[in-house]
Amino acid sequence: RLAELTAQRDRVRRSADRTDDLARALASAGARRDAAVEAARITGELESADRELAEASTVLAEAQTALAQLRRRRLDGFAGELATALVAGEPCSVCGSTEHPAPAVHTDPVSAEDVERAERERDAAQSAERSAQARSAELTSRLSAALAIADGLGVDAAESGVTTAGDAHAAAVTAGAEVAALDEQIAQTTAAAAALAQEREDAAAALAAARESLALLAQREQDAATQIADARGDSFELHYCSRTPRHAAFLDELRAL
């Protein structure tokens, strides 16, 4: 029984000794689960940010195209714009002639204000695209960090890992309590075995003393018989009938030991 309890205690203790390691494993599993949840959330934000970036890039491309077209129209319409400023008899600001027989027609007028407005729109679109790019880059970096901590696990797999680690840690904690209980049982069993051994030792000593007393009584009986025979001058054998009942019963009891 004691050997069985000791073996059981040692087996349970091996599990209990892993409590600290399993607590750290549980904490790591929890961190992976939290990171997996964070990665899932960031993924949704990144998808939205990438859509916004694509839209901002489209708006910028359209603004750049519109600005380029206005600039080209502006250049194409310079001759007509100059023609509108010509005054009969006054010199042309380009060629200096005072005669203007065939001034250019300004059919597609684009003012400097139109170009400036298009440039402001292009600049705003460019700024919006840069902000969208920065936001996308930030989320991409955070997603990479979260995925690294999550060990590439999805939310479900990471949650399963937490459950498994939690069960193992709980079992180790329970084993720790079992070790204390088994130690108590072993102590009680050891004490009981020691008490039983002492009882056996005491009983053996009592038996040895009783046997010694019997041997002494037998020797005394023999010596008495010899002395009586010597006194009578013939052989003498002591029979039970010559003893008192109490004396005979005591001798029988001793011989039975």
Side-chain angles (χ1 to χ4, degrees), residues 39-190:
R41 185 184 65 79
I42 293 174
T43 297
E45 292 185 10
L46 182 58
E47 290 174 353
S48 176
D50 285 344
R51 285 194 296 269
E52 292 177 2
L53 175 58
E55 293 171 0
S57 296
T58 299
V59 170
L60 175 59
E62 292 174 350
Q64 288 174 330
T65 299
L67 176 59
Q69 291 175 346
L70 283 175
R71 284 174 173 169
R72 185 171 59 253
R73 288 168 56 197
R74 172 78 170 151
L75 291 174
D76 292 344
F78 269 157
E81 186 175 335
L82 290 173
T84 59
L86 292 174
V87 178
E90 293 184 5
C92 173
S93 59
V94 177
C95 64
S97 175
T98 56
E99 295 182 358
H100 317 295
V105 179
H106 199 188
T107 58
D108 188 16
V110 175
S111 66
E113 290 77 11
D114 292 335
V115 174
E116 290 175 357
R117 183 169 55 253
E119 287 176 343
R120 289 194 296 272
E121 290 176 354
R122 185 275 317 274
D123 292 343
Q126 206 167 45
S127 178
E129 186 195 45
R130 281 196 294 268
S131 296
Q133 285 176 335
R135 174 63 173 164
S136 178
E138 176 199 0
L139 289 172
T140 298
S141 177
R142 287 169 55 192
L143 177 60
S144 296
L147 288 174
I149 295 174
D151 238 358
L153 297 176
V155 175
D156 291 342
E159 189 65 51
S160 177
V162 170
T163 299
T164 300
D167 290 344
H169 179 256
V173 171
T174 300
E178 290 180 3
V179 167
L182 287 169
D183 280 339
E184 179 63 23
Q185 290 184 47
I186 289 172
Q188 292 176 357
T189 302
T190 301

